[in-house]
């Protein structure tokens, strides 16, 4: 029998932690036990999992004794504070925060794209930014056809990327607007109901915001391609939990045929082609919601550049954009024989 | 005293026609009379304008006797059927439909960009597509700094572009979704509440839809630049009445400095800079709603191409995207001495 694993979830009461639990509950995973960790505010809550109540415990340095796999989705500062303790306790950390993503000692993994990077971990494997994962699921497979040169991406990002409270704010605020009541944004800096705005992360001297920088730098790291040129414009839209992206991909030389692009995407695990020109049916966040696959469509030759193509994608931000990708990292780590990282 | 004009509005009961009436009512316009025209369905309705009720009459070939200016916003087929009769009756037609936009005998005008094209009209002046107008308000001014080479644009288009019923559908359907009731799209082919989808216009053999082709072809015509390269991805989002666009502009050679871009846009009539990096405050459809100006921000150098910059814009689809631009064409036509077009 396969070895069973003791799993800890740091941030178990958040949107991503809850989805991770749902995935563990619904799918075949060799699970010995699960420990639910969160901050002070949530301690003592009971969460039902596989037929019995689990008490939420305080996330602390001592939380990880006997733990094999620690999944972190409690924000970057908590990952920085507690992931090293989990590694010292002997666990592999799969970190959904941005804390370690660009750390040269930490692999950044989309299992369909760069599973082999798991082998050189030193205790922590980072889960990429949601927009990066969803973009790369559509773009990375194309490297088998031609070398990538440049990506120009504009995002349509769901409220879920800002957490469970932001999803509630979208729904509550929309109901208020429909009742013609005044609204006060809390989770977001601007009204989200029937509105959209530039991603509210900090902007540096280049004029790019943090989300856009993540897409650029993480794409290069995951693809092992420091020369890849990327420009991104990240926008929040009034959608609940699936991100969409309009992507222009320029190749280094002649673009591959659209037939070969469709064939390659269609056979890539984790991608579903939704490209029905006749019925005007293409990727939509509502249809991506709850699906493991990233939907890809509007595949066409760019009329403005002979080496480029255009694509449109939608993917569930909480699933492939976060919890599912983390779960798949754990599965792949097991499949590769649970490689131990050298301790930090 | 300035001569006063007899104005007819074909499509007076639609979203754009109603806005055109509101503009005529609120602003200084040398108006002698207004005639409200619509299809059978709306005939007999009374619409209050400047303190008295106006009866909606049937749009027909005989509707334009004594009319100086006929504003059409009743769809392309009605423009094709009745605009020639208006021209024969001696009116200048300002057509908001797509019917005559690419006709070589018809100027296609954004008054801030190519007012001089008004002079060669032959009875009809076409109002461009809303997404095209909003894009060009941000891009056209930059030609004074450097020659344009290529535009890569992804749109975030409001429901209003599909008419008054589509705006109602967005609001009604959203209320239903919040009450967890099933929804049946009518005005749109897909659910619009908390969703987005590729623009539902017909797709040709290039894979581009009609809205995208309009943006490409109309931009070239308005800018008198057949060599301009454009790729567009048009997307409908759950926003009521202002379009947004993420625009990458590549110049033919070195890009102008960001300071010169900001200065040029700031001094261009009809543009308002909203580019407050410190407060993460950029163009938003909610703030563009009801404003004459197209809002422009996120102005930054493209990190992936030394000759390109990125921009984000929002503009009221019914105002500058339609009725206001048509009104401004009328004003400019008057300012230029009401040039008579040679009859068709």
């Amino acid at each position: 029998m396969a070895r069973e694993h003791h799993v800890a979830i740091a941030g178990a009461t958040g949107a991503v932690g809850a989805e991770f639990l749902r995935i563990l509950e619904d799918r075949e995973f060799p699970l010995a036990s699960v420990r639910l960790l969160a901050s002070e505010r949530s301690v003592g809550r009971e969460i039902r999992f596989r037929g019995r109540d689990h008490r939420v415990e305080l996330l602390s340095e001592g939380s990880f004794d006997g733990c094999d796999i620690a999944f972190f989705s409690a924000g970057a500062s908590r990952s920085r504070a507690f992931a090293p303790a989990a590694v010292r306790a002997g666990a592999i950390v799969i970190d959904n925060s941005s804390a370690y993503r660009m750390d040269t000692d930490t692999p950044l993994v989309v299992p369909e794209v760069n599973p082999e990077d798991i082998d050189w971990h030193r205790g922590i494997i980072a889960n990429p930014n949601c927009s990066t994962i969803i973009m790369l699921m559509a773009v990375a497979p194309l490297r088998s056809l031609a070398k990538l040169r440049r990506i120009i991406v504009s995002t349509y990002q769901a409220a879920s990327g800002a957490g469970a409270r932001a999803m509630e704010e979208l729904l509550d605020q929309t109901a208020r607007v429909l009742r013609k009541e005044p609204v006060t944004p809390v989770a977001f800096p601007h009204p989200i109901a029937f509105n959209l705005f530039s991603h509210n992360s900090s902007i540096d001297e280049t004029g790019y915001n943090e989300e856009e920088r993540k897409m650029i730098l993480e794409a290069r790291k995951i693809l092992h391609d420091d020369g890849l040129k990327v420009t991104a414009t990240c926008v929040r839209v009034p959608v609940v939990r699936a991100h969409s992206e309009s992507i222009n991909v320029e190749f280094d030389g002649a673009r591959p045929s659209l037939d070969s692009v469709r064939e390659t995407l269609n056979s890539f695990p984790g991608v579903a082609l939704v490209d029905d020109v006749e019925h005007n049916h293409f990727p939509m966040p509502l249809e991506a919601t709850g699906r493991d696959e990233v939907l890809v469509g509007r595949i066409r030759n760019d009329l403005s550049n002979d080496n480029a193509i255009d694509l449109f994608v939608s993917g569930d931000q909480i699933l492939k954009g976060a919890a599912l990708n983390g779960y798949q990292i754990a599965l792949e780590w097991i499949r590769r024989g649970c490689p131990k990282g050298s301790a930090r």
Side-chain angles (χ1 to χ4, degrees), chain A residues 51 262 292:
Chain A
R262 288 199 186 94
D292 286 3

Side-chain angles (χ1 to χ4, degrees), chain A residues 25 33-34 46-55:
Chain A
E25 184 149 43
S33 73
V34 68
E46 300 272 352
I47 294 181
R48 195 133 190 111
F49 178 76
R50 293 199 174 170
R52 70 178 193 80
D53 286 335
H54 288 66
R55 194 166 174 282

Side-chain angles (χ1 to χ4, degrees), chain A residues 203-221:
Chain A
I203 292 174
D204 73 5
E205 68 289 349
T206 64
Y208 282 66
N209 64 42
E210 202 184 339
E211 186 82 355
E212 292 159 355
R213 296 195 297 275
K214 286 176 184 173
M215 290 188 80
I216 298 170
L217 298 175
E218 294 182 18
R220 289 181 184 150
K221 178 168 177 174

